[in-house]
């Protein structure tokens, strides 16, 4: 989707925010024994830590590795949606254990290997479901809305009027 470095930064910032916020809410609700309105506010205490970590990880490391892994099973001639799904799958599969480990170390009362495995196991299905059913489509819609003119002009002849 992003065509320039600036677009990639903005896309990754939005995606990391929406993913991290939802997953932080999810984990806090598990720790508190259920969901409540208070959890939506409590999540903002972890966001200044977890959002930058997720952005840096995804933008500089995972975002480079995921397409390479996805193209081990996909071809450039495959449908663009399937390529997007494959890359998203790889990103989620790598980010979830790393972010679960970081959250375990920083926020769990008993940061042990067992706690990490449990956190990862609880987070993985939720992360995939959230990414593929809600977060991914929503963030791509927001991104396309923000960059409508720039994305419409991609591939247009030089000097062609903007739509």
């Amino acid at each position: 989707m992003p065509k320039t470095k600036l677009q990639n930064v903005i896309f990754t910032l939005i995606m990391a925010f929406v993913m991290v916020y939802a997953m932080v809410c999810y984990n806090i609700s598990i720790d508190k024994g259920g969901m409540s309105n208070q959890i939506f506010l409590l999540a903002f205490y972890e966001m200044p830590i977890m959002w930058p970590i997720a952005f840096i990880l995804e933008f500089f490391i995972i975002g480079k590795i995921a397409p390479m892994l996805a193209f081990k099973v996909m071809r450039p001639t495959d449908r663009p949606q399937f390529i997007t799904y494959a890359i998203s799958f790889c990103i989620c599969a790598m980010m979830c254990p790393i972010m679960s480990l970081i959250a375990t170390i920083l926020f769990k009362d008993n940061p042990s290997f067992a706690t990490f495995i449990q956190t990862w196991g609880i987070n993985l299905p939720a992360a995939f479901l959230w990414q593929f059913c809600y977060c991914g489509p929503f963030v791509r819609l927001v991104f396309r809305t923000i960059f409508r003119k720039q994305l419409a002009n991609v591939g247009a002849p030089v000097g062609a009027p903007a739509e």
Side-chain angles (χ1 to χ4, degrees):
M1 291 258 317
K3 305 296 181 197
T4 67
K5 189 63 106 179
L6 175 64
Q7 288 177 1
N8 195 21
V9 167
I10 292 169
F11 180 83
T12 306
L13 281 169
I14 297 168
M15 182 66 77
F17 180 86
V18 175
M19 251 339 259
V20 169
Y21 182 72
M23 294 306 295
V24 167
C25 287
Y26 175 70
N27 278 277
I28 292 172
S29 71
I30 290 170
D31 289 343
K32 298 279 185 194
M35 193 64 176
S36 70
N37 290 334
Q38 179 188 23
I39 292 188
F40 295 110
L41 295 175
L42 290 173
F44 285 109
Y45 290 105
E46 291 184 26
M47 289 301 289
I49 298 166
M50 297 304 281
W51 182 26
I53 291 170
F55 173 79
I56 290 166
L57 244 161
E58 208 273 290
F59 191 80
F60 293 106
I61 301 167
I62 305 298
K64 310 277 188 262
I65 298 169
M68 291 187 296
L69 291 175
F71 281 109
K72 298 255 185 225
V73 294
M74 303 299 295
R75 293 177 303 234
T77 56
D78 288 336
R79 291 182 63 189
Q81 299 95 320
F82 294 134
I83 293 171
T84 298
Y85 299 148
I87 293 170
S88 294
F89 179 88
C90 292
I91 289 171
C92 214
M94 289 185 281
M95 288 291 286
C96 187
I98 296 168
M99 294 300 289
S100 294
L101 177 63
I102 293 166
T104 299
I105 293 167
L106 295 178
F107 301 110
K108 295 293 183 175
D109 292 333
N110 180 21
S112 64
F113 181 72
T115 304
F116 158 64
I117 295 299
Q118 179 181 14
T119 303
W120 179 17
I122 289 169
N123 284 340
L124 191 61
F128 277 126
L129 182 67
W130 178 244
Q131 171 60 25
F132 284 99
C133 295
Y134 302 102
C135 180
F138 172 73
V139 170
R140 286 189 288 277
L141 173 68
V142 169
F143 180 80
R144 281 191 310 267
T145 303
I146 293 170
F147 290 101
R148 182 176 306 149
K149 286 186 179 183
Q150 292 91 330
L151 295 172
N153 288 333
V154 172
V158 175
E163 295 177 8

